[in-house]
Amino acid sequence: MKYLIALGLVATLTACSGNGSHASKRELAKAIDEFNSDHPLCVPVNDALAGQAGNTAHLIKGRFGDEWIHVTTENLAGDDINQGAQKQMKIMTREGLYEKASSKEQKAVLGEDIKVPTDSFRLTKEGKEQFRSSAYGNLMCIGHIKVDEVTWFTEPTPANGMTVTQVRFKPEYKLEGFAKKLMKEDLPELKQELENEQDLTATLVQTNEGWRDIRELAAPKR
């Protein structure tokens, strides 16, 4: 999946218990899973809210991860609109990521002089834990990657004072409940991309504690 690779969100990892530069597929897989358990899979969702683009009569203000999302539910003719976005927000509220605001907190998205029915939603404390800010916009953390199978790894080789190896593996995606529901109902494209994902790669460096993701050396474990 191109955007995962572009964001550097491919799973990576660590491995081996320290027998010289020895490595095995089993050890590498275990180390990769240990790293990924603390590093969720987060994907861009700037355009994920159904019906976000288009005609102002169907305007939606806010994106997944924003503190507020405002969804018009009827147009000026009284027709029901933004059904996809309404369904998505029902999932988000049921899963506790957003809460629906009271009528006093509702916002007119077409201007104060043009009143149309609007539902407003505020990001919850639990919801904030599922989103990240990035240079690419909001990211939604939808679960974790596990190793389904290590397909191959290179012979550990000295490089710049370190011993490194490259690992390629087939990923298995362990998704959060809300992510499964969103993908099943309203984000089939993302679901298809995850299911069609090709092998991922990992760059590992050997330490006194075994193989570790080279990026982990620059930042403490969360």
Side-chain angles (χ1 to χ4, degrees), residues 144-162:
H144 291 82
I145 294 175
K146 287 182 64 67
V147 176
D148 181 53
E149 176 188 358
V150 172
T151 54
W152 56 257
F153 62 92
T154 62
E155 184 71 24
T157 305
N160 299 320
M162 299 181 293

Side-chain angles (χ1 to χ4, degrees), residues 57-59 71-76 79-86:
H58 297 177
L59 187 62
V71 180
T72 56
T73 58
E74 293 182 19
N75 61 19
L76 296 175
D79 301 319
D80 188 29
I81 62 172
N82 294 326
Q83 293 95 334
Q86 291 187 57

Side-chain angles (χ1 to χ4, degrees), residues 2-188:
K2 294 181 179 178
Y3 56 78
L4 290 179
I5 295 174
L7 291 173
L9 293 173
V10 294
T12 48
L13 230 260
T14 68
C16 285
S17 52
N19 246 344
S21 59
H22 172 72
S24 70
K25 288 185 176 181
R26 181 178 181 182
E27 291 170 320
L28 293 173
K30 179 181 179 182
I32 290 172
D33 288 342
E34 288 176 350
F35 176 81
N36 286 327
S37 66
D38 290 314
H39 295 77
L41 170 64
C42 303
V43 299
V45 287
N46 290 334
D47 299 318
L49 193 57
Q52 189 164 201
N55 180 315
T56 56
H58 297 177
L59 187 62
I60 295 172
K61 286 191 174 180
R63 296 173 173 177
F64 284 142
D66 287 352
E67 183 177 1
W68 284 95
I69 293 177
H70 308 281
V71 180
T72 56
T73 58
E74 293 182 19
N75 61 19
L76 296 175
D79 301 319
D80 188 29
I81 62 172
N82 294 326
Q83 293 95 334
Q86 291 187 57
K87 179 183 274 188
Q88 288 176 323
M89 294 313 299
K90 283 182 180 179
I91 292 173
M92 299 297 266
T93 53
R94 288 171 182 168
E95 296 296 318
L97 277 66
Y98 276 86
E99 59 182 3
K100 191 172 181 179
S102 66
S103 57
K104 292 182 180 180
E105 295 176 298
Q106 303 300 321
K107 181 176 181 178
V109 298
L110 295 179
E112 294 301 324
D113 296 330
I114 305 177
K115 301 294 184 180
V116 289
T118 301
D119 286 338
S120 295
F121 305 87
R122 186 200 298 269
L123 188 65
T124 65
K125 179 179 179 181
E126 292 75 13
K128 290 178 181 179
E129 297 177 355
Q130 300 298 141
F131 293 94
R132 305 281 188 272
S133 297
S134 77
Y136 302 92
N138 295 337
L139 304 178
M140 180 165 63
C141 299
I142 61 174
H144 291 82
I145 294 175
K146 287 182 64 67
V147 176
D148 181 53
E149 176 188 358
V150 172
T151 54
W152 56 257
F153 62 92
T154 62
E155 184 71 24
T157 305
N160 299 320
M162 299 181 293
T163 299
V164 300
T165 183
Q166 295 288 321
V167 181
R168 182 173 288 271
F169 62 94
K170 296 182 182 300
E172 178 183 2
Y173 297 98
K174 298 295 185 179
L175 303 181
E176 300 283 354
F178 76 89
K180 291 180 181 178
K181 293 177 182 177
L182 283 176
M183 289 181 195
K184 180 180 179 180
E185 299 296 336
D186 296 285
L187 296 177

